[in-house]
Amino acid sequence: DVKVTQSSRYLVKRTGEKVFLECVQDMDHENMFWYRQDPGLGLRLIYFSYDVKMKEKGDIPEGYSVSREKKERFSLILESASTNQTSMYLCASSLASGTAGELFFGEGSRLTVL
Amino acid sequence: DQQVKQNSPSLSVQEGRISILNCDYTNSMFDYFLWYKKYPAEGPTFLISISSIKDKNEDGRFTVFLNKSAKHLSLHIVPSQPGDSAVYFCAASGFVQFYFGTGTSLTVIP
C-alpha cells in the first residue's frame, strides 16, 4: 500500500514564525502536491512538483515555498506565518505524469497560527 | 475561477436509499475524473475514478457516471449506509494537476 506520511498532525505557531511541513511517500512517485483545505473552499493547490528539484506554483502559492531535494520528500515552508494560513494542509503524491493516475493523500496537518 | 464545481454543499439521505452526488466541470481538456471521501481530521481517500472514454464505472455500491457533452459527473451510492457519512470531493485531471470541487457533505440517517 502507498503510504504518504506527514510529519505533524497538529501544530500551533505564532504569527511571524517560520513553519516547516514535511511529507514523505514510500512508493517512488514522481509527482507530489501540497493542498490546503478550508470550509466551503474545497482543496486548493499550493505547489506541486513533478521531479526532484522541480516545482510549479498552484492556485494559491503566495506566502508559501517548497523544497524537493529527494524524490520521496516534499516540504512546504511558511516563511512568516500569518493567521490566514490557519488551515488543514494535505500532502499527496501520484505516479503517472499523464492521466489515469490516482492521488494518494497523507493524513493532513492541522496548523493553527495565533 | 473554479474549474470543478459541486453545487450542493450538503445532502441528507435515509439509510438504504440512493445517494446521488453531482459535479460539473468547465475544462474540456480534463480526461480523468475521481471521487474522494474525507472524514474530519483525516486525509481524503480514493473512492472511484472514470476515464473520459467511458460513461460509467462501477465498484460495489459505488457507481460514477460521466456525461461529457454536459461536462457533468455524478456518484451514486446504493444502498447508502451510515458509515458513508463524510465529505465527498470530485476531482478532474488533464495532465499532472488535479482540480477539486468544494465538496458535498453527505449525512446518511439511520
Side-chain angles (χ1 to χ4, degrees):
Chain A
D1 272 359
V2 174
K3 194 160 176 71
V4 179
T5 304
Q6 295 184 228
S7 54
S8 305
R9 291 295 306 274
Y10 299 95
L11 303 94
V12 180
K13 298 292 182 181
R14 297 207 175 272
T15 300
E17 280 192 83
K18 192 168 186 175
V19 182
F20 290 90
L21 298 178
E22 303 281 338
C23 176
V24 177
Q25 49 93 3
D26 65 359
M27 284 302 289
D28 203 34
H29 284 176
E30 286 88 0
N31 305 323
M32 296 189 74
F33 306 78
W34 275 105
Y35 290 87
R36 65 178 279 178
Q37 186 207 352
D38 300 289
L41 298 176
L43 276 67
R44 294 181 292 166
L45 181 63
I46 305 171
Y47 268 95
F48 67 99
S49 168
Y50 53 88
D51 202 352
V52 175
K53 297 195 185 292
M54 304 302 290
K55 60 185 178 185
E56 293 286 341
K57 292 180 180 179
D59 299 319
I60 52 164
E62 297 79 18
Y64 303 94
S65 62
V66 290
S67 172
R68 192 159 181 208
E69 296 296 319
K70 293 184 178 181
K71 190 175 185 180
E72 67 271 17
R73 188 179 297 270
F74 192 35
S75 303
L76 180 70
I77 303 148
L78 288 67
E79 293 289 342
S80 178
S82 62
T83 54
N84 63 12
Q85 292 178 310
T86 291
S87 187
M88 167 72 93
Y89 289 88
L90 293 161
C91 176
S93 71
S94 72
L95 176 61
S97 293
T99 58
E102 177 189 328
L103 260 187
F104 295 87
F105 282 90
E107 291 285 296
S109 299
R110 168 69 65 184
L111 172 66
T112 301
V113 183
L114 302 175
Chain B
D1 197 22
Q2 196 84 17
Q3 298 195 55
V4 177
K5 296 178 184 178
Q6 293 176 257
N7 292 318
S8 297
S10 62
L11 175 68
S12 290
V13 172
Q14 287 291 133
E15 181 179 3
R17 305 295 289 268
I18 185 171
S19 295
I20 300 175
L21 294 89
N22 294 303
C23 180
D24 298 293
Y25 62 96
T26 57
N27 191 337
S28 57
M29 298 302 290
F30 291 148
D31 57 4
Y32 189 59
F33 304 89
L34 311 90
W35 284 94
Y36 283 82
K37 176 180 179 179
K38 187 180 184 300
Y39 293 116
E42 293 184 13
T45 54
F46 171 75
L47 258 183
I48 192 168
S49 63
I50 187 167
S51 164
S52 60
I53 61 173
K54 295 186 174 182
D55 55 18
K56 178 182 173 181
N57 188 26
E58 230 174 316
D59 184 1
R61 296 186 297 114
F62 302 92
T63 303
V64 56
F65 295 91
L66 176 63
N67 182 334
K68 279 175 57 182
S69 61
K71 295 192 181 69
H72 177 84
L73 64 154
S74 61
L75 174 69
H76 293 209
I77 307 173
V78 184
S80 301
Q81 299 173 353
D84 296 329
S85 297
V87 177
Y88 290 78
F89 292 99
C90 69
S93 176
F95 188 55
V96 175
Q97 258 185 283
F98 292 76
Y99 295 86
F100 284 83
T102 51
T104 296
S105 178
L106 173 66
T107 302
V108 180
I109 304 162

